[in-house]
Amino acid sequence: MSLAETLDHSFWLASRSAGVVAYLLLSASVLLGLAMALRLAPPRLTPTLRAVHEKVALVALGGVAAHALLLLGDGWLRPGPSGVLVPFAMDYRPVWTGLGVLAAYLTAGLSLTYYARRRIGARRWRNAHRLIPVAWAMAAVHVIGAGSDAGSLWLQVPIALTMSLVLTLAGQRVLSGRAPRPRAARPARPPAGPSHPPSSPDAAPQREPVPRPAAVTAAAGAGDARGAYRPLWVRDPGGSASS
């Protein structure tokens, strides 16, 4: 391509460059988000990764906006505002460009909900934030299908690398979410004790049998010799039983 042709297509080249940079930044943001969700980094690095993730996502949105605005200046394509704002309205490869417009809206909407998570609720925000890989996939298809340089090696290598990394981490994220949670350990049963139930604190204590005095035992023997045993207080001193 000559210098004159390059200048004639300067807006196209600038727009295409901004789009590729936006895609790479979006891929980096998605990878950082998946790495934090999978806890691949030490916990002490989480605040730093969160700050980098936020800044990379904002710069990626700026690249998407530059990609669309620069395309308006292209004298050959001439998409007009409707071509860059309305999905599938552009005459040039409407399917691929339409996917790019949808990916831009979805990425911007899901990314900016981070600043409204207190209003919409943390759980709803997390559920919506999980759709960002879907927006990234649409952006990847747009980069491959809408550009005339999609067959170039310099573009195929980063696309293949980012796709393999994102799909690997996203697959791990899905599998980790479906993995069964470990069951709580049941308390160990107490060892088997005697057959009789243990005594409760309120139960009356059992008294041990008190041994009889020797005199009582001897008298009992004497009473048994004559018949039924009779206590000492019913016997007279002489040894005969009282009537």
Side-chain angles (χ1 to χ4, degrees):
M1 181 180 294
S2 62
L3 179 60
E5 292 176 348
T6 303
L7 293 177
D8 291 339
H9 297 86
S10 58
F11 281 98
W12 164 264
L13 295 176
S15 174
R16 184 63 174 170
S17 300
V20 173
V21 172
Y23 165 76
L24 295 177
L25 291 174
L26 179 60
S27 301
S29 178
V30 172
L31 289 173
L32 287 173
L34 291 173
M36 289 189 295
L38 293 171
R39 298 178 181 179
L40 299 180
R44 58 186 177 83
L45 297 180
T46 300
T48 303
L49 291 178
R50 185 179 293 111
V52 174
H53 173 63
E54 178 183 1
K55 291 179 174 58
V56 171
L58 292 176
V59 177
L61 293 179
V64 172
H67 173 59
L69 293 176
L70 288 172
L71 200 61
L72 293 174
D74 184 53
W76 174 77
L77 192 60
R78 295 179 181 180
S82 61
V84 297
L85 296 177
V86 180
F88 311 106
M90 188 180 298
D91 296 333
Y92 175 78
R93 300 184 180 181
V95 175
W96 310 116
T97 55
L99 289 176
V101 175
L102 291 177
Y105 286 144
L106 190 59
T107 302
L110 295 176
S111 300
L112 296 179
T113 54
Y114 174 78
Y115 302 99
R117 63 189 185 279
R118 292 184 179 179
R119 292 185 178 181
I120 64 178
R123 180 176 298 179
R124 293 179 180 178
W125 171 75
R126 289 192 185 96
N127 292 334
H129 204 68
R130 292 173 181 173
L131 296 177
I132 286 185
V134 178
W136 167 86
M138 296 170 62
V141 174
H142 167 72
V143 173
I144 296 173
S148 57
D149 49 2
S152 302
L153 184 62
W154 66 268
L155 186 59
Q156 291 179 348
V157 172
I159 289 178
L161 181 60
T162 53
M163 290 183 67
S164 59
L165 291 176
V166 172
L167 292 178
T168 300
L169 294 184
Q172 292 182 3
R173 176 61 174 166
V174 172
L175 293 178
S176 63
R178 294 182 178 179
R181 297 181 180 179
R183 297 181 178 178
R186 296 182 178 179
R189 295 183 177 180
S195 58
H196 59 81
S199 60
S200 61
D202 299 335
Q206 297 180 359
R207 297 181 180 180
E208 297 181 357
V210 180
R212 294 181 178 181
V216 175
T217 306
D224 291 341
R226 295 182 300 170
Y229 169 75
R230 302 181 69 182
L232 290 177
W233 58 83
V234 298
R235 298 174 183 271
D236 57 3
S240 59
S242 61
S243 57

